[in-house]
Amino acid sequence: MSFIYARNLKNKVYVFADSKLSVTPKDEAQLIKILGKKSYINIRALGVIKNVIIDEKICIASAGVLEDFNAILKKIDLNKNYDVHEICKYALDIHLKKDMRTDFIIALSDCNNSKLFEIKNGEVNEVQSSWLGSYECFKKFQIIKHDDEVVGKLTGYMDEEMKAEFSEETIDSYAFKETVNAKIDETVGGYIIECFGKNGEFRYNEQISTYTEKAHPVSSDGIVKIYDNVFDGGYTYHVFQSKTNYMIYISQLEKGIIYEPHIEDKNYDYLRFPKLYNVSEQEFLTIIGIESTGLMLI
């Protein structure tokens, strides 16, 4: 299971997804055989990208069976066909042939006419918003999104002019993060992957985030501990802006991660699984072709 939410909002389209990999015992045995136990453990810990950027203008998201997602990514790449309507036909064909076990969202970022298509319940429909995966998560998302207290919390510090420019996108992003982090569905979790399409291009935006296993009290001098270390069960990670692969550096572990196709198996060879690089952040910046600004994580 997964939780995915997408929306076409005033010609800006975005697709949010969790990254948790959930497999049956039978699939787990198969993956361990293919990947080796160490690689499998890394993938279980770091997940898989469920909202993949295709040719910059198109993002495809999937909830269901990994092999089905791999099949559509492979077909697009081999045919070099980036027409959104043809891709919807590919998705519907897979969806129907596999007894609707896997659903898809196809998003097009266009300067003048962005579009969002949902392949679900045996049909292709153009929509303004869509969700896939866990219904329990979607219910929670809707509750948070339409809670007046949440909107007040997000806009409380703003003056009237700022509130007028306040984007529903921010509410959607907040509600999605809160939903995934609520852990109401054990098959949903991991990193929250946000993909934004504007002016004909999709991007994974740059961000610096911290993950903690436990709450931290305010100290006597009013300071809250923000950055955990790995011994506290937490870590800090830097997501780099990208129009292709999702890329992260985890400072405490001194590991870079690029989610890219690298598994040599016909059922998984086009999926964006994590590939680890045991290097310093400066070395990782060189690998991914980004010049250092001098601002490094500590």
Side-chain angles (χ1 to χ4, degrees):
M1 190 66 74
S2 304
F3 181 47
I4 296 167
Y5 179 77
R7 189 173 183 186
N8 186 3
L9 180 66
K10 299 176 182 177
N11 214 39
K12 182 177 183 180
V13 61
Y14 46 88
V15 186
F16 303 154
D18 78 307
S19 63
K20 187 171 183 178
L21 179 66
S22 298
V23 296
T24 65
K26 179 182 177 181
D27 290 337
E28 182 175 59
Q30 178 69 6
L31 282 171
I32 292 173
K33 183 178 178 180
I34 293 167
L35 304 172
K37 192 164 186 179
K38 184 176 180 180
S39 293
Y40 175 73
I41 290 171
N42 287 336
I43 288 173
R44 282 302 302 266
L46 298 169
V48 61
I49 302 301
K50 302 174 185 178
N51 47 346
V52 171
I53 296 175
I54 301 291
D55 192 40
E56 296 184 5
K57 292 186 177 183
I58 295 174
C59 175
I60 299 181
S62 175
V65 177
L66 285 176
E67 288 91 331
D68 298 345
F69 194 23
N70 191 75
I72 189 170
L73 295 175
K74 181 181 292 189
K75 189 161 188 175
I76 293 167
D77 187 72
L78 293 178
N79 292 335
K80 304 300 179 187
N81 189 338
Y82 305 111
D83 179 85
V84 68
H85 298 288
E86 288 298 312
I87 291 173
C88 285
K89 290 180 183 178
Y90 295 164
L92 181 62
D93 183 58
I94 293 169
H95 175 70
L96 293 175
K97 282 185 176 178
K98 299 297 183 179
D99 298 321
M100 297 185 288
R101 68 182 186 180
T102 302
D103 298 330
F104 300 95
I105 288 171
I106 314 294
L108 170 70
S109 178
D110 184 88
C111 294
N112 302 310
N113 191 21
S114 293
K115 293 180 179 291
L116 190 66
F117 297 92
E118 177 186 83
I119 293 84
K120 190 175 178 180
N121 299 323
E123 299 178 337
V124 176
N125 291 298
E126 184 174 352
V127 295
Q128 290 303 115
S129 65
S130 176
W131 67 275
L132 305 180
S134 171
Y135 179 59
E136 292 303 314
C137 284
F138 178 64
K139 286 197 299 182
K140 179 70 172 180
F141 172 81
Q142 289 288 83
I143 290 170
I144 297 172
K145 175 179 173 174
H146 296 291
D147 188 334
D148 290 339
E149 289 187 12
V150 169
V151 177
K153 177 181 177 181
L154 294 174
T155 62
Y157 67 93
M158 297 179 181
D159 58 29
E160 291 306 312
E161 182 178 352
M162 291 176 67
K163 286 182 181 179
E165 297 178 355
F166 184 69
S167 173
E168 291 183 53
E169 169 196 317
T170 305
I171 298 174
D172 285 344
S173 176
Y174 177 85
F176 190 87
K177 291 171 183 173
E178 289 293 298
T179 298
V180 173
N181 290 332
K183 300 179 180 179
I184 59 177
D185 186 324
E186 65 178 13
T187 67
V188 173
Y191 292 111
I192 295 161
I193 312 295
E194 296 184 327
C195 186
F196 296 92
K198 188 178 181 181
N199 299 325
E201 286 187 344
F202 274 103
R203 294 177 185 269
Y204 300 114
N205 286 347
E206 183 174 26
Q207 62 174 307
I208 296 176
S209 300
T210 187
Y211 173 85
T212 60
E213 285 284 353
K214 58 187 178 183
H216 291 298
V218 179
S219 64
S220 57
D221 55 5
I223 296 174
V224 178
K225 181 181 178 184
I226 298 177
Y227 297 108
D228 264 342
N229 58 46
V230 291
F231 300 105
D232 293 323
Y235 53 86
T236 305
Y237 60 94
H238 185 174
V239 177
F240 299 92
Q241 179 173 281
S242 173
K243 294 185 288 184
T244 54
N245 295 316
Y246 196 79
M247 303 178 293
I248 301 176
Y249 190 82
I250 301 176
S251 56
Q252 286 91 338
L253 300 179
E254 293 192 336
K255 290 184 185 294
I257 304 163
I258 301 177
Y259 287 81
E260 59 186 343
H262 66 276
I263 303 301
E264 295 182 4
D265 183 271
K266 66 179 182 178
N267 291 317
Y268 307 101
D269 51 355
Y270 283 80
L271 294 172
R272 276 55 170 178
F273 281 129
K275 187 174 181 180
L276 273 63
Y277 295 82
N278 297 307
V279 294
S280 68
E281 184 167 5
Q282 181 60 62
E283 290 170 319
F284 189 64
L285 290 173
T286 301
I287 290 170
I288 63 178
I290 296 177
E291 292 185 8
S292 173
T293 61
L295 297 174
M296 305 293 286
L297 295 178
I298 55 173

